[in-house]
């Protein structure tokens, strides 16, 4: 099999003229719900971290405005066989310290994220890669363990780090003072407060639209909205639907939204606590009124789903039906399991809608469970979710996206045995998702995912709630079109007076 993509689309895709429009505004200020949990792009891949470090680093490939995979650091690629792909690496790219980006840096970046010693939460999304090697000054070969159909989709978020710098300062040093080749260079980070970036005037992709970008951690949504109204913030992420409706009519403000690949879901611990009993997990599924949640809390910025996935994702299916809202059935199952009054620890963070979490809590309490909300900062929340089952809570609300638009980046990391996210193990599920990531036959992959989703329905280690919409509040002067993969790439923005 041979496939080839050339770089001719580059100037027509990610380097569209509006991204480089001149602006009189020097500093763009963005309010995020949380501080970046990390600035090392090979560690956490949560929305707030990615929003910041996506602008510091370039990725091997990216997505164009039409959603297709297009060049970034790689200018072209071709399959040598079903398990081998060669990449041509862009020449003339430099890191922020002035060193040249080479094929060795690309190979190092790939091999770093698949190194088990790094313990990357992203590991499962790249674990089918066997190795990467520089085969020339500007060529890299990636070999996979088996045919891996989601490879390019996963590589969309593979950031290139400087090999020499990481080897010099170590992992902690990269996180403390990240150096990339992206349009913005790191200036400073104040834990829990802000991250400051400055324009990379030597960026290979053109002139950045703002001289400085400030990302501020503002957990309180009312404060984010106040910042937008007073002009202290130019863009705010994660505007609640009810606020979005009221802000639409305000002068100087606009609401930007897009249906995404992200899915709102409920993680359910299948290995520890009361939810270890599948009857309790099924009771939780029957207890939640998904349609009611969407209608009451999302104001049209979401759609109910039956599985943990969304329509933009390959592998998503409507052939597997979810659980009907049936609180009486939920009560019967809880009684049958001897779980009446069972303590359910519900993990959450300010990243997620408190109203949504409290509504789910009430639904579970109404059927006989004793649900306690435990909120922490996002970094702590992530550590618990990725940690030992005994410390991972009974349930947790989440909004999952892999930016790859493939079920391999959703249900594989969430539920495959051995994943840091999984508190669940089923050999039949593992067999189905392993098969789906090991063939280039798209029809066969789709069948495997239907099988996997059927198993998840019966075991209920998680529950799909709704397709999420990304909702931002912005100054009316900011020109930007959000993307389904929620890439907050400042190069795509401009300012119109």
């Amino acid at each position: 099999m041979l496939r080839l993509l050339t770089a001719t689309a580059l100037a027509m895709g990610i380097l569209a003229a509006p991204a480089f429009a001149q602006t009189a505004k020097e500093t763009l200020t963005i309010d995020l719900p949380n501080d970046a949990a990390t600035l090392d792009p090979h560690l956490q891949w949560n929305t707030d971290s990615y929003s910041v470090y996506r602008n510091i680093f370039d990725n091997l490939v990216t997505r164009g405005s039409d959603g297709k995979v297009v060049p970034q650091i790689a200018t072209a690629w071709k399959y040598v066989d079903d398990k081998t792909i060669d990449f041509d690496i862009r020449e003339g790219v430099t890191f922020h310290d002035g060193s040249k980006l080479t094929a060795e840096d690309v190979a190092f970046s790939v091999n770093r994220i698949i190194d088990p010693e790094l313990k990357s939460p992203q590991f499962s999304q790249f674990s089918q890669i066997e190795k990467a090697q520089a085969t020339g000054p500007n060529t890299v070969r990636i070999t996979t363990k088996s045919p891996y159909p989601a490879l390019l989709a996963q590589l969309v978020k593979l950031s290139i780090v400087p090999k020499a710098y990481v080897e010099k300062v170590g992992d902690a040093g990269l996180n403390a003072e990240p150096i990339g080749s992206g349009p913005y260079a790191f200036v400073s980070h104040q834990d829990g407060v802000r991250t400051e970036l400055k324009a990379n005037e030597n960026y290979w992709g053109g002139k950045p639209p703002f001289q400085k970008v400030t990302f501020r951690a503002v957990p309180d949504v009312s404060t984010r909205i106040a910042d937008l109204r007073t002009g202290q913030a130019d863009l705010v992420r994660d505007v609640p639907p009810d606020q979005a409706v009221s802000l639409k009519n305000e002068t100087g403000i606009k609401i930007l939204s897009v249906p995404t690949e992200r899915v709102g879901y409920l993680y359910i611990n299948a290995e520890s606590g009361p939810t270890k009993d599948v009857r309790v997990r099924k009771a939780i599924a029957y207890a939640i009124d998904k349609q009611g949640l969407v209608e009451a809390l999302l104001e049209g910025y979401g759609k109910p789903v039956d599985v943990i996935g969304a329509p933009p994702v390959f592998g998503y299916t409507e052939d597997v039906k979810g659980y009907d809202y049936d609180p009486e059935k939920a009560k019967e199952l809880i009684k049958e399991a001897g779980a009446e009054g069972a303590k359910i620890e519900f993990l959450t963070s300010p990243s997620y809608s408190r109203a949504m979490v409290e509504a789910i809590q009430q639904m579970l309490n109404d059927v006989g469970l004793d649900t306690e909300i435990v909120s922490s900062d996002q970094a702590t929340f992530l550590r618990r979710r990725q940690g030992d089952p005994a410390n991972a809570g009974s349930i947790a609300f989440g909004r999952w996206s892999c930016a790859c638009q493939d079920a391999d980046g959703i249900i594989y990391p969430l539920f495959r045995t051995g994943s840091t996210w999984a508190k669940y193990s089923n050999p039949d599920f593992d067999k189905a998702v392993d098969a789906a990531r090991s063939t280039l036959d798209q029809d066969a992959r789709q069948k495997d995912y239907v099988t996997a989703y059927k198993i998840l329905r019966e075991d209920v280690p998680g529950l799909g709630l709704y397709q999420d919409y990304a909702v931002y509040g912005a100054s009316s002067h900011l020109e930007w079109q959000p993307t389904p993969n929620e890439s907050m790439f400042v190069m795509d923005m401009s300012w119109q007076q």
Side-chain angles (χ1 to χ4, degrees):
M1 183 182 79
L2 179 67
R3 283 185 281 182
L4 176 66
L5 182 86
T6 65
T8 54
L10 183 61
M12 299 164 54
I14 62 170
L15 301 184
F20 311 119
Q22 294 294 318
T23 173
K25 186 175 178 62
E26 180 175 311
T27 301
L28 182 73
T29 301
I30 300 174
D31 279 5
L32 302 175
N34 294 280
D35 190 18
T38 181
L39 294 177
D40 182 336
H42 297 162
L43 294 180
Q44 296 288 3
W45 191 80
N46 61 84
T47 308
D48 294 310
S49 296
Y50 189 63
S51 295
V52 179
Y53 72 62
R54 175 67 182 94
N55 295 285
I56 300 173
F57 298 91
D58 283 318
N59 293 346
L60 185 62
V61 293
T62 190
R63 288 192 186 275
S65 56
D66 60 359
K68 294 181 180 179
V69 177
V70 297
Q72 194 162 68
I73 290 302
T75 59
W77 50 89
K78 64 180 179 181
Y79 276 87
V80 178
D81 57 44
D82 285 358
K83 297 190 292 182
T84 309
I85 184 170
D86 286 345
F87 292 86
D88 293 336
I89 304 306
R90 184 177 302 282
E91 298 183 54
V93 178
T94 58
F95 289 110
H96 300 146
D97 62 357
S99 62
K100 182 181 178 182
L101 187 153
T102 69
E104 290 287 350
D105 296 302
V106 174
F108 173 81
S109 299
V110 176
N111 291 327
R112 181 175 186 258
I113 205 167
I114 64 173
D115 181 357
E117 292 297 316
L118 185 66
K119 297 181 180 179
S120 171
Q122 301 183 57
F123 175 78
S124 64
Q125 300 186 42
F126 295 96
S127 60
Q128 279 297 92
I129 298 174
E130 186 173 82
K131 64 179 179 179
Q133 59 188 118
T135 53
N138 300 296
T139 55
V140 170
R141 172 166 290 184
I142 293 180
T143 306
T144 57
K145 298 173 184 176
S146 66
Y148 184 37
L151 177 62
L152 287 174
Q154 297 288 19
L155 290 175
V156 161
K157 58 182 181 290
L158 192 282
S159 297
I160 309 304
V161 300
K163 178 176 184 287
Y165 179 70
V166 177
E167 290 178 338
K168 177 183 177 181
V169 304
D171 298 338
L174 176 65
N175 187 34
E177 293 190 43
I179 289 178
S181 63
Y184 286 89
F186 174 79
V187 175
S188 65
H189 175 74
Q190 186 178 356
D191 283 346
V193 180
R194 70 182 64 216
T195 304
E196 303 276 357
L197 308 181
K198 66 179 180 181
N200 173 13
E201 300 296 345
N202 297 315
Y203 187 53
W204 62 269
K207 180 179 174 61
F210 304 93
Q211 285 298 305
K212 300 176 183 178
V213 181
T214 299
F215 291 92
R216 304 191 303 190
V218 186
D220 182 65
V221 65
S222 62
T223 304
R224 294 202 301 276
I225 299 302
D227 286 348
L228 181 64
R229 282 176 166 144
T230 59
Q232 294 184 60
D234 305 305
L235 177 65
V236 302
R237 193 179 74 74
D238 207 13
V239 176
D242 59 332
Q243 296 274 18
V245 171
S246 63
L247 286 170
K248 273 184 177 180
N249 299 320
E250 293 198 19
T251 302
I253 293 175
K254 59 184 174 183
I255 294 297
L256 305 173
S257 68
V258 63
T260 72
E261 63 175 289
R262 185 178 297 277
V263 58
Y265 77 102
L266 195 71
Y267 140 80
I268 309 176
N269 192 334
E271 294 187 346
S272 182
T275 51
K276 188 173 182 179
D277 190 320
V278 69
R279 293 170 296 185
V280 176
R281 301 198 299 274
K282 288 185 175 181
I284 289 171
Y286 279 119
I288 296 177
D289 180 4
K290 291 185 284 189
Q291 185 65 45
L293 291 174
V294 168
E295 290 179 356
L297 300 177
L298 298 185
E299 302 281 356
Y301 293 106
K303 295 179 181 178
V305 294
D306 286 330
V307 300
I308 300 180
V313 172
F314 178 85
Y316 172 80
T317 179
E318 295 183 352
D319 294 336
V320 179
K321 299 303 178 185
Y323 286 79
D324 293 333
Y325 173 52
D326 191 339
E328 294 306 315
K329 179 65 174 177
K331 291 176 183 177
E332 290 175 12
L333 285 168
I334 289 171
K335 185 176 182 180
E336 182 182 321
E340 294 167 299
K343 298 286 186 181
I344 302 295
E345 187 179 25
F346 191 172
L347 303 187
T348 188
S349 88
S351 287
Y352 310 117
S353 164
R354 183 76 182 191
M356 179 69 68
V357 170
E358 289 178 347
I360 294 171
Q361 176 195 37
Q362 186 62 54
M363 290 175 184
L364 300 186
N365 288 346
D366 285 346
V367 298
L369 297 173
D370 183 5
T371 309
E372 178 187 7
I373 295 173
V374 178
S375 184
S376 63
D377 62 88
Q378 183 71 353
T380 302
F381 170 85
L382 291 170
R383 283 195 296 271
R384 291 196 65 182
R385 267 292 283 116
Q386 295 163 8
D388 183 87
N391 192 44
S394 300
I395 60 175
F397 181 74
R399 293 161 60 233
W400 185 274
S401 168
C402 67
C404 62
Q405 297 181 203
D406 195 292
D408 182 72
I410 301 176
I411 58 174
Y412 188 97
L414 280 176
F415 304 114
R416 174 63 166 84
T417 301
S419 168
T420 58
W421 295 97
K423 308 298 177 278
Y424 163 75
S425 180
N426 183 320
D428 292 332
F429 172 81
D430 294 349
K431 181 179 178 181
V433 292
D434 286 350
R437 65 164 20 194
S438 303
T439 177
L440 301 181
D441 184 330
Q442 297 293 70
D443 291 338
R445 294 189 73 218
Q446 184 65 38
K447 290 178 181 177
D448 288 329
Y449 282 129
V450 170
T451 298
Y453 275 121
K454 286 179 178 178
I455 294 169
L456 292 179
R457 186 194 186 280
E458 293 307 308
D459 290 349
V460 209
L463 186 68
L465 299 175
Y466 59 88
Q467 178 189 13
D468 200 18
Y469 283 37
V471 185
Y472 308 84
S475 164
S476 58
H477 297 291
L478 184 69
E479 295 297 322
W480 177 51
Q481 176 56 53
T483 60
N485 65 359
E486 299 175 80
S487 175
M488 192 178 279
F489 196 38
V490 175
M491 283 297 285
D492 293 335
M493 303 178 188
S494 63
W495 192 264
Q496 305 296 328
Q497 294 292 354

